[in-house]
Amino acid sequence: MSAHLRAVGTSPLSSCLLLLLLLLPLALSFRARPPHQHPGHLPSLVPHAPRSLARPRFSAQAQLDFTTHCNSSCYHRGEQEPRRELLADWLAFETLYDNGSRTLTTVDVEDGDEEESEGLIMDAVPRLARGRRSAPAIGRGKRRRRQIYGADGRFNIRGDNFLLDYPFSTAVRISTGCTGVLVSPRHVLTAAHCVHDGKDYVKGARKLRVGFLTPPSVNTTKPGQAPPKKPLVRWVRVRRTRVPKGWIQGPQDVSMDFDYALLELRWPHRRPFMRLSVAPSSEDLAGKRIHFSGFDSDRPGELVYRFCPVEDESNDLIYQHCDARPGASGSGVYGRVWDSDLERWERKVIGVFSGHQWLEIDGENRDFNVAVRLTPLKFAQICYWLHGNRVDCSKD
């Protein structure tokens, strides 16, 4: 892809090019419904009464360039599924309030039929895509530039026509330097490492804020005044933050699987938001592609969009080569998913962009960007965070 296509501005030609790129996955999606469907009845979480915890120290440093290493012991492919008790422990969660207090809520995983429940827990691991394409082996000491693969395929989103339109309008900034995605009128999904390092909350989480990008033309305050050259950000305080216990003080091979957090705003916003979905196999995504928009640090003040095919997938992670830089962490990874109720393909958030991982399998180092996939159990947990009850989650 030539360099002049990477920065999409407001000219008619560039707008047409971006529109063509956005419609391409839609054209690929005009096919029959996928042969595999998610279970119609998902597991639910039964929360216990929250327990007060000591106030956090807010001593951690925010990590914008999150990189992990993994070998066969943490590359979970469904051969061994954790016990129900261990899953329930990972799905417990902390709640951080804007006054600095926090609580821990433990949960039980429940379903009406015990046999069916076991099957649903096993179904928390979607099938791996058939015919996977593995990344080329990378010898030790021969790391290429992390998170950019070959020609830079990212697109700058500019202008009222795109910044204020769905799906780009669902991307928001996190005051710690990351990205998030709107998933309800007052909730933002982001990466856990943007607010917590696994042991303590980051310094910026004490007064966490979410930023809404507004185009330059909207920011003109006086008649005849020239708009600013770059979009401005309107900041909203966060009321409470929820982080799964699987991330907090968990071993590295487990914690990255739970690198997500939900932020609740003090006030509802008026922008469209993106619905969540259990992540299907890449075979069941339209075009087998994922998409996400974020605030990459090497393009300050710009919203950056990208898309790419899924390269590989494990129980909890989506491995891909979408170009990204620090700051994109927490972006909502979405794809076109078949909606059985609407009988059509819909854009839905199926994961959260986490960062970069060196995967060592069978003596080979493989280089991937990684997104945390929303399994049925994670979907049930986040849904409970959104609604605060099990009844509304059963409707979702």
Side-chain angles (χ1 to χ4, degrees):
M1 189 173 297
S2 59
H4 72 277
L5 292 181
R6 297 176 200 147
V8 178
T10 56
S11 68
L13 177 59
S14 60
S15 298
C16 290
L17 289 171
L18 179 58
L19 183 61
L20 179 61
L21 288 168
L22 293 175
L23 291 178
L24 179 60
L26 178 61
L28 293 173
S29 69
F30 284 114
R31 59 182 177 91
R33 73 173 68 190
H36 310 119
Q37 293 290 309
H38 302 309
H41 188 62
L42 294 172
S44 61
L45 300 186
V46 182
H48 299 160
R51 174 168 61 90
S52 296
L53 299 174
R55 288 174 175 261
R57 299 186 305 274
F58 297 103
S59 62
Q61 297 291 334
Q63 303 178 59
L64 300 185
D65 189 10
F66 186 59
T67 302
T68 61
H69 295 76
C70 176
N71 54 32
S72 57
S73 66
C74 61
Y75 185 55
H76 308 296
R77 300 177 64 92
E79 294 88 349
Q80 297 180 353
E81 184 62 14
R83 301 187 309 274
R84 177 193 294 267
E85 298 79 14
L86 194 53
L87 284 169
D89 184 54
W90 292 340
L91 292 168
F93 57 89
E94 275 194 13
T95 302
L96 173 67
Y97 299 89
D98 55 2
N99 63 3
S101 63
R102 61 172 175 157
T103 60
L104 173 66
T105 304
T106 57
V107 301
D108 290 327
V109 179
E110 184 179 273
D111 194 271
D113 182 2
E114 183 71 19
E115 182 176 350
E116 180 184 6
S117 177
E118 291 297 331
L120 286 171
I121 291 178
M122 290 302 294
D123 235 347
V125 185
R127 286 169 302 278
L128 296 178
R130 298 177 178 84
R132 296 184 304 274
R133 293 191 296 117
S134 298
I138 302 174
R140 295 182 183 274
K142 297 181 179 180
R143 298 182 179 180
R144 49 191 157 171
R145 185 183 177 190
R146 292 185 298 171
Q147 300 187 353
I148 299 296
Y149 299 89
D152 193 338
R154 297 172 297 164
F155 297 85
N156 287 4
I157 304 302
R158 300 170 182 158
D160 296 14
N161 293 337
F162 293 118
L163 280 177
L164 293 180
D165 284 351
Y166 184 89
F168 304 121
S169 59
T170 65
V172 292
R173 293 184 62 180
I174 309 300
S175 57
T176 54
C178 291
T179 301
V181 60
L182 301 173
V183 292
S184 91
R186 61 189 308 161
H187 290 94
V188 174
L189 186 65
T190 188
H193 77 260
C194 296
V195 296
H196 196 291
D197 73 346
K199 295 183 178 179
D200 191 20
Y201 290 90
V202 303
K203 294 180 179 179
R206 186 189 297 271
K207 296 182 179 180
L208 196 61
R209 298 178 298 162
V210 169
F212 292 78
L213 203 65
T214 56
S217 61
V218 178
N219 297 317
T220 303
T221 57
K222 297 180 181 179
Q225 179 181 358
K229 295 182 179 180
K230 290 187 177 182
L232 297 181
V233 181
R234 179 177 62 87
W235 294 98
V236 178
R237 285 289 301 274
V238 171
R239 178 171 175 258
R240 57 184 174 185
T241 301
R242 281 174 165 159
V243 181
K245 193 179 175 185
W247 169 260
I248 298 172
Q249 294 183 333
Q252 179 174 300
D253 61 335
V254 171
S255 60
M256 191 175 189
D257 298 345
F258 292 89
D259 187 14
Y260 57 91
L262 191 75
L263 316 180
E264 181 181 334
L265 304 176
R266 279 188 173 181
W267 310 104
H269 60 83
R270 297 182 179 180
R271 295 196 179 187
F273 58 88
M274 196 171 294
R275 295 175 60 197
L276 301 173
S277 172
V278 173
S281 164
S282 61
E283 293 289 329
D284 295 338
L285 287 173
K288 301 180 183 178
R289 285 191 173 98
I290 58 171
H291 314 246
F292 58 98
S293 300
F295 297 93
D296 300 42
S297 59
D298 64 334
R299 300 187 183 183
E302 299 282 358
L303 178 63
V304 183
Y305 162 75
R306 73 228 79 196
F307 67 93
C308 67
V310 175
E311 298 286 341
D312 204 347
E313 48 194 340
S314 67
N315 302 357
D316 291 277
L317 301 176
I318 300 171
Y319 294 93
Q320 32 79 20
H321 286 156
C322 284
D323 293 327
R325 297 299 293 158
S329 293
S331 300
V333 173
Y334 65 90
R336 289 191 177 270
V337 179
W338 181 259
D339 190 308
S340 299
D341 293 331
L342 299 177
E343 290 289 320
R344 67 188 185 200
W345 297 86
E346 289 284 313
R347 292 188 188 95
K348 292 185 180 180
V349 175
I350 61 171
V352 178
F353 179 61
S354 178
H356 186 263
Q357 186 172 91
W358 290 92
L359 185 64
E360 184 178 351
I361 302 295
D362 299 328
E364 295 180 346
N365 271 342
R366 299 175 181 177
D367 180 22
F368 291 102
N369 280 336
V370 179
V372 179
R373 66 186 312 152
L374 300 186
T375 64
L377 285 171
K378 294 174 189 174
F379 178 91
Q381 181 191 54
I382 297 172
C383 187
Y384 177 79
W385 292 347
L386 291 173
H387 297 293
N389 62 72
R390 301 166 59 195
V391 175
D392 289 336
C393 285
S394 64
K395 297 177 183 178
D396 285 353

